[in-house]
Amino acid sequence: MPRVCGVDIPGNKRLEYSLTYLFGIGLSASRKVLAALDIDGQQRASDTPEEQLSRIASHIEKNYM
């Protein structure tokens, strides 16, 4: 399971839906984060490279938490 912001997100779901497991991040916020970072939300969370997950985590921590 990938970890983002200290939370295990489900790896078998698409990334845009997996990010909603983070407190305070809904589907629209998840899509905004992925659009801002130019990351495809249709890929599975388990297939997402670690570099992209760290970019997502830093963006969320800076702008949403």
Side-chain angles (χ1 to χ4, degrees):
M1 273 191 174
R3 285 184 73 82
V4 176
C5 299
V7 177
D8 288 330
I9 60 173
N12 60 342
K13 294 186 179 213
R14 293 190 315 200
L15 186 58
E16 65 183 356
Y17 291 110
S18 292
L19 290 179
T20 63
Y21 281 70
L22 300 172
F23 182 77
I25 303 295
L27 187 57
S28 63
S30 171
R31 289 177 176 160
K32 286 179 185 176
V33 168
L34 294 172
L37 298 174
D38 196 31
I39 296 174
D40 181 25
Q42 302 299 314
Q43 65 186 347
R44 300 284 175 199
S46 60
D47 297 337
T48 306
E50 188 64 36
E51 180 267 330
Q52 288 183 348
L53 291 175
S54 64
R55 284 179 42 214
I56 291 169
S58 64
H59 184 80
I60 289 174
E61 288 174 353
K62 185 182 352 175
N63 297 312
Y64 291 93
M65 293 187 173

